[in-house]
Amino acid sequence: MDQLLINSGFPILSVLIFLPLIGAIVLLFIKSESLCRNIALATTSVVGLLSIRLLFGFDTTTAKFQFVEHKSWIEAFNINYTLGVDGISILLILLTTFIMPFCVLASWSYIKTRVQAFMICLLIMETAMLGVFVALDFVLFYVLWEAMLIPMYMLIGIWGGPRKIYASIKFFLYTLAGSILLLVGIIWLYTVNDHSFFIPDMMWKDYALSSQVYLFIAFFLAFAIKVPMFPFHTWLPAAHVEAPTAGSVILASVLLKMGTYGFLRFALPITPEATVLLMPYVLWLSIAGIIYGGFTALAQSDMKKLIAYSSVGHMGFVTLGIFVLNIDGVKGAILQMINHGITTGALFLCVGMIYERTHSRELRSATGIGKYMPIYITFLAFFSLSSFGFPGTNSFVGEFMILAGAFEFSTSQNNFPYLALAAIPGAVLAAAYMLRMLQKIIWGGTDNPDQSWLSDINTREIVTLAPFLFFVFWIGLGPQPFLDLIHTSVYELLQHFDIHHGQAVAAAGSILH
């Protein structure tokens, strides 16, 4: 327990987790649709404001878990209610609490049926997602990891598009299959760790290499499906296309990050030798995802599909940064997880606003609207620039650090930087498909449909998009406060690789090339 800084004051993490759940219970007794919307917005907003308290008490000089809460839960199996935050999780918690109020706002007029049930699903989702990022007991983590499947399944299956049943079942089955393998790994760890589910005690143990390989494969499949990495990505476009706007935002901004968080929290510190041994294959799968996602997005005429496939490429950059196992790469990957959540979440909000007006996600239905929706186009243009990493925007910082980490990885092995050079076309493809989309939407061609009946975005929609744009430029022009939050935890994580597994890292570099 020496990895923990026990919180003896206000139980901020429990409040953040259970306040949305309490809000969902309250909504069970509310019949008024407008009141349901207001209560959901108030609840998510209060959670967002309370989460800022984490910043004021967070110590950036230690890698220990902070704000820790520890209570016995099921004594017979040594299962505890243990929560904590470190530099790897704090930004993901803040991203989740930031996103949720805007998911409620985006659904204000979009969701017209079963409003009460929809808002309940959003609040339960928030409880589960926050719990995943703060759980330090493996059973607690797994319960919350699985719990988020049900409300997301319902969001897609009830309020989704024409193929909602297919998309919701595919999402559920894919992620459940990975979760079963994760459960097997958890049970094995329980048996070899004195029947304890305490996550920090499982890190950096000297497990046999063969055991680590099997465990890494179980972890990898569970988390790669969630990311999703190529070739486990096929559930994502269907889920994004059929999900309501809020569902797409939650999927892109938070749920995909659970996979990359799992790599950082479990795969690297619990199976370090296996991570190094199998790292070359993960790196090249990441490159494949970057290139595949870019080319596939370039071929899309459905705006949601375009952004969904772009996520495959962007998350490929994140896994590339994680598995080069150096400071620049991992810090860039964590920052890019946040950047992707902000930018892609905002792009899905933009698509939802057009869909509410035209009832179509096809590019041809939105062709040439720049003349009639100038405010909307301004937001869309900046988010598109951010998506392909234009200098001055948030994604540029993350991608730059990841590519710097990839070059550093190659030079540390005295090899030609094949890995970094292979990733660069992904950035070019991102510019190609985003600029193509922008050109069609803003100007179109000579045979544009009549768009004069379209109204520009209203005050509620401006309020929804403006905070996203604020963070696009804040992180893009002044990322240091965000990097300071994660630096110590990332440094401590990689120190273990440098101290205990330096030779294995060198061996993996030679395998890669």
Side-chain angles (χ1 to χ4, degrees):
M1 301 287 282
D2 58 344
Q3 309 98 319
L4 309 182
L5 294 176
I6 301 294
N7 177 24
S8 58
F10 183 68
I12 181 65
L13 297 183
S14 289
V15 171
L16 293 179
I17 291 174
F18 288 107
L19 191 56
L21 188 60
I22 292 170
I25 293 170
V26 170
L27 288 184
L28 289 172
F29 304 97
I30 305 297
K31 299 302 179 185
S32 167
E33 292 183 353
S34 61
L35 188 55
C36 285
R37 293 187 182 99
N38 287 320
I39 291 174
L41 180 60
T43 303
T44 53
S45 298
V46 169
V47 171
L49 291 172
L50 285 173
S51 67
I52 297 174
R53 188 179 184 276
L54 294 176
L55 291 174
F56 295 106
F58 189 79
D59 183 358
T60 59
T61 64
T62 179
K64 292 183 177 182
F65 290 96
Q66 304 176 43
F67 305 101
V68 171
E69 301 171 33
H70 178 76
K71 302 288 183 184
S72 179
W73 182 14
I74 305 174
E75 292 186 10
F77 295 99
N78 198 18
I79 299 172
N80 300 299
Y81 174 80
T82 309
L83 311 176
V85 177
D86 68 350
I88 292 172
S89 59
I90 187 167
L91 287 179
L92 293 168
I93 296 165
L94 294 170
L95 175 67
T96 305
T97 60
F98 165 77
I99 288 291
M100 293 307 295
F102 301 107
C103 290
V104 175
L105 283 174
S107 309
W108 209 262
S109 58
Y110 187 97
I111 300 299
K112 297 180 172 63
T113 60
R114 301 181 182 178
V115 174
Q116 177 197 42
F118 184 87
M119 296 302 170
I120 288 173
C121 284
L122 286 186
L123 292 174
I124 294 174
M125 277 292 300
E126 184 168 20
T127 286
M129 292 185 301
L130 287 172
V132 163
F133 294 132
V134 301
L136 296 183
D137 181 278
F138 239 139
V139 170
L140 179 63
F141 169 85
Y142 187 78
V143 167
L144 293 165
W145 174 275
E146 291 289 84
M148 70 87 204
L149 291 179
I150 298 172
M152 180 51 71
Y153 171 81
M154 295 176 67
L155 286 176
I156 300 172
I158 298 175
W159 295 276
R163 303 181 71 218
K164 58 189 178 185
I165 302 301
Y166 164 78
S168 58
I169 291 176
K170 190 172 186 179
F171 160 77
F172 194 92
L173 291 179
Y174 262 69
T175 49
L176 182 65
S179 299
I180 292 172
L181 293 171
L182 177 61
L183 179 61
V184 172
I186 292 171
I187 293 172
W188 181 83
L189 284 168
Y190 173 73
T191 61
V192 299
N193 280 281
D194 300 323
H195 293 83
S196 170
F197 288 106
F198 185 53
I199 293 169
D201 282 351
M202 298 177 179
M203 298 176 179
W204 312 115
K205 292 288 186 70
D206 291 325
Y207 308 115
L209 180 58
S210 58
S211 299
Q212 284 196 38
V213 169
Y214 289 123
L215 192 57
F216 179 88
I217 291 171
F219 283 158
F220 176 78
L221 291 173
F223 301 140
I225 289 170
K226 187 76 77 175
V227 169
M229 290 183 69
F230 176 87
F232 308 102
H233 65 282
T234 56
W235 64 267
L236 182 67
H240 268 314
V241 168
E242 302 305 324
T245 298
S248 293
V249 173
I250 292 171
L251 267 173
S253 297
V254 184
L255 258 64
L256 306 190
K257 312 308 179 300
M258 290 183 180
T260 46
Y261 171 77
F263 285 133
L264 289 166
R265 177 64 75 221
F266 306 115
L268 269 63
I270 295 178
T271 60
E273 281 90 355
T275 297
V276 172
L277 181 66
L278 300 173
M279 174 177 63
Y281 308 104
V282 181
L283 290 174
W284 285 111
L285 278 179
S286 300
I287 295 295
I290 292 170
I291 304 301
Y292 172 85
F295 275 117
T296 313
L298 192 59
Q300 301 306 313
S301 60
D302 183 309
M303 288 183 283
K304 263 198 169 183
K305 273 191 178 179
L306 187 154
I307 299 168
Y309 278 112
S310 78
S311 289
V312 177
H314 292 316
M315 295 307 290
F317 272 104
V318 174
T319 52
L320 175 66
I322 290 172
F323 282 92
V324 293
L325 299 177
N326 56 46
I327 289 286
D328 283 342
V330 176
K331 286 174 66 175
I334 296 175
L335 188 63
Q336 194 64 0
M337 288 157 67
I338 307 304
N339 294 336
H340 178 265
I342 292 168
T343 300
T344 306
L347 285 170
F348 277 119
L349 289 173
C350 289
V351 173
M353 291 171 187
I354 284 294
Y355 183 78
E356 283 192 64
R357 289 161 169 78
T358 65
H359 302 291
S360 173
R361 295 181 300 267
E362 292 293 321
L363 277 171
R364 63 175 177 268
S365 300
T367 298
I369 66 173
K371 180 179 178 181
Y372 307 103
M373 300 180 68
I375 301 175
Y376 171 83
I377 288 301
T378 301
F379 280 108
L380 181 65
F382 281 122
F383 295 138
S384 299
L385 292 173
S386 170
S387 184
F388 66 79
F390 192 80
T393 64
N394 55 343
S395 297
F396 173 78
V397 181
E399 287 189 9
F400 180 88
M401 293 181 69
I402 290 168
L403 289 174
F407 274 103
E408 181 185 337
F409 174 82
S410 296
T411 55
S412 68
Q413 309 301 323
N414 297 315
N415 285 308
F416 189 76
Y418 297 106
L419 191 70
L421 292 176
I424 289 175
V428 178
L429 286 168
Y433 60 69
M434 293 310 300
L435 291 175
R436 169 180 169 268
M437 183 186 78
L438 267 183
Q439 189 278 330
K440 286 182 176 293
I441 291 177
I442 298 175
W443 295 289
T446 58
D447 57 345
N448 294 343
D450 178 24
Q451 307 284 25
S452 59
W453 59 276
L454 288 174
S455 60
D456 210 343
I457 54 177
N458 56 38
T459 303
R460 173 181 58 83
E461 292 169 324
I462 292 173
V463 169
T464 302
L465 293 177
F468 289 84
L469 189 60
F470 172 76
F471 280 102
V472 163
F473 286 115
W474 183 8
I475 299 175
L477 299 173
Q480 196 59 49
F482 301 89
L483 296 174
D484 288 342
L485 286 170
I486 63 180
H487 175 78
T488 304
S489 292
V490 171
Y491 180 79
E492 184 73 15
L493 175 70
L494 295 177
Q495 276 290 95
H496 286 279
F497 278 92
D498 293 338
I499 294 171
H500 300 290
H501 312 293
Q503 292 180 347
V505 171
S510 64
I511 293 172
L512 184 63
H513 300 290

